[in-house]
Amino acid sequence: MQIEEIKDQICDVCHKMWQRGIVAANDGNVSVKLEDGTFLCTPSGVSKAAMTPEILVHLAADGSVI
């Protein structure tokens, strides 16, 4: 699966969680471990309703931003 497709899916999950009342705006984070051992994560302080692929954070296994 392409990284852009995964980003879109993360945003879709965030939007659905917000719409269904599972999270209130900035609650929690969503992350995915990629095949290469890196991670895609939602940033802190951003409403799940406003999540876009461009603001997701790509992290190395050691936590450094890629």
Side-chain angles (χ1 to χ4, degrees):
M1 186 177 299
Q2 301 271 339
I3 194 167
E4 295 305 319
E5 185 178 354
I6 296 169
K7 287 181 176 183
D8 289 340
Q9 289 180 350
I10 291 171
C11 291
D12 186 50
V13 166
C14 289
H15 298 157
K16 287 178 179 173
M17 288 181 359
W18 181 80
Q19 290 170 343
R20 294 177 184 176
I22 296 170
V23 294
N26 301 348
D27 289 356
N29 289 89
V30 176
S31 61
V32 172
K33 185 174 184 181
L34 303 174
E35 290 180 4
D36 65 0
T38 64
F39 297 86
L40 285 173
C41 304
T42 56
S44 297
V46 178
S47 171
K48 301 304 175 277
M51 200 60 58
T52 63
E54 298 79 27
I55 61 175
L56 294 176
V57 182
H58 193 182
L59 299 171
D62 66 4
S64 61
V65 177
I66 296 175

